[in-house]
Amino acid sequence: MDFMPEAQPSTNAQASSTPPITLAIDIGGTGLKMMALDKDAKPVTGRVRSDTPIKPTPARVLEVLESLRTQIPSFDRISAGFPGVIKDGHTMTAANLHPDWVGFDLEGELEKRWGKPVRVANDAAVQGYGAIAGVGVELVITLGTGMGSALFTRGRLCPGLELGHHPFRKKREYEDFLGRRGLKEFGPKKWNKYVLKAIEQTAHTFNWDHLYIGGGNAKLVSFTLPEHVSLVSNQDGLLGGIKLWGDQA
Ligand code: BGC
C-alpha cells in the first residue's frame, strides 16, 4: 500500500532503542517493504524495499521477504500489513496479488520461518490504527495500487470493510477510479475529482466523524480538504504496526 517512509535511523539507533523491536512489513501490490521500529515506533533500521514479484504468489513474495529480512539485524516480533481481507492470520482475498493467497496462513508461515510472534492485519487497518484518535466513527481510506478502507468506532476496528470493491459509479468499483488503475486511466485532475466525490459519498454512507486519507498516492491530493478530513502521515502508518500489539506493547 506504500506507506512506509524512507526513514533513516539515527546512528547507533539499535543500541539506544527501547525494546521490543517490531519488524514492520508492508506487503503491497507494487512494493514489499520492511523496517524495524522500537517500542515508540522510532525507526531502528532504514527501510528496505523490493518490487513486488511479477507473479506475486505466496511462495514468490515470501522469497523476496526472506531476502529483505537478511538486511534487518534483529527483532522481537513481526507486524505485517497485507492488501486483502485477513481472518485469524489467514489471507482471504488478494485482489492485487495472486489467487493462491486465498486461505493462506501468513501469520503461521512467518512465525514458522522466523521464530517470532506475528500479527497480520489488513494494510489499511494497520495505517488506521496509527492514525485514529479513538473517538466516534473514524474511516480511513488508502490510495495506492488498490484502494484500502478501514472503519473504526471508538477506536475499535470493524474488520473486513472492502469499500474499494463496492460500486462507485457506472457499475465500476471505487478502486477502478481511485486506485492506481484509475489514476492512470483518468489522470490526476479527474482522479482528484473522484477522490472528492468519494469523500462526499462515504460521509453519507458511514456518517464518519473523521476521515483519514493515506497511502502512497495521498500526496497527489491537490484540493483543500473539507473539514474533518486529514491526510495520514507516513509516520502514523508506521505506528500502526506497533499498535497491532495493543496493550502488550
Ligand atoms: C484490497 C484491500 C486493500 C487495498 C489496499 C484492495 O484491493 O482489497 O484489502 O486494503 O487494496 O492495498
Side-chain angles (χ1 to χ4, degrees):
M1 187 194 62
D2 204 19
F3 64 75
M4 259 184 210
E6 290 178 53
Q8 288 307 321
S10 56
T11 29
N12 83 354
Q14 187 101 37
S16 66
S17 50
T18 325
I21 303 300
T22 304
L23 176 67
I25 306 179
D26 180 32
I27 299 174
T30 309
L32 308 176
K33 294 164 220 142
M34 58 173 77
M35 73 194 300
L37 305 165
D38 82 352
K39 185 173 183 286
D40 308 311
K42 247 190 14 236
V44 175
T45 64
R47 186 198 73 166
V48 294
R49 182 194 184 281
S50 263
D51 284 347
T52 303
I54 307 236
K55 192 177 171 201
T57 58
R60 289 287 296 110
V61 167
L62 283 158
E63 206 177 292
V64 179
L65 292 180
E66 281 287 359
S67 81
L68 289 177
R69 192 204 55 133
T70 60
Q71 298 170 56
I72 308 282
S74 68
F75 50 89
D76 304 305
R77 61 189 188 185
I78 300 150
S79 293
F82 182 85
V85 174
I86 306 295
K87 280 192 197 286
D88 298 324
H90 291 62
T91 56
M92 306 310 290
T93 68
N96 291 305
L97 291 176
H98 190 276
D100 282 3
W101 284 98
V102 177
F104 185 78
D105 181 9
L106 180 57
E107 216 166 82
E109 182 62 29
L110 290 175
E111 217 160 87
K112 194 173 81 194
R113 282 173 183 245
W114 298 345
K116 303 281 182 195
V118 183
R119 292 206 176 160
V120 178
N122 172 263
D123 53 4
V126 175
Q127 260 221 23
Y129 276 124
I132 57 164
V135 179
V137 176
E138 297 173 277
L139 179 70
V140 180
I141 62 172
T142 62
L143 307 171
T145 309
M147 176 192 158
S149 54
L151 183 66
F152 297 84
T153 56
R154 294 190 194 144
R156 281 195 157 246
L157 175 71
C158 166
L161 174 69
E162 282 282 321
L163 193 60
H165 304 298
H166 284 243
F168 179 51
R169 59 196 313 263
K170 297 191 175 160
K171 296 193 177 150
R172 293 175 72 190
E173 55 187 43
Y174 275 81
E175 188 164 292
D176 292 329
F177 294 87
L178 303 183
R180 184 179 55 184
R181 284 193 305 278
L183 185 58
K184 203 164 160 230
E185 182 176 340
F186 303 109
K189 205 167 156 204
K190 262 197 162 168
W191 178 85
N192 264 280
K193 274 195 181 159
Y194 292 135
V195 174
L196 185 57
K197 196 166 167 47
I199 293 174
E200 288 159 7
Q201 272 196 13
T202 61
H204 288 121
T205 313
F206 298 101
N207 295 290
W208 40 255
D209 297 301
H210 200 100
L211 173 73
Y212 301 86
I213 304 178
N217 288 337
K219 57 179 179 290
L220 302 178
V221 170
S222 57
F223 53 88
T224 308
L225 294 173
E227 230 192 324
H228 307 301
V229 179
S230 51
L231 297 183
V232 182
S233 78
N234 284 328
Q235 190 57 35
D236 286 344
L238 286 180
L239 203 60
I242 306 295
K243 293 252 175 92
L244 272 192
W245 294 88
D247 51 14
Q248 292 175 32

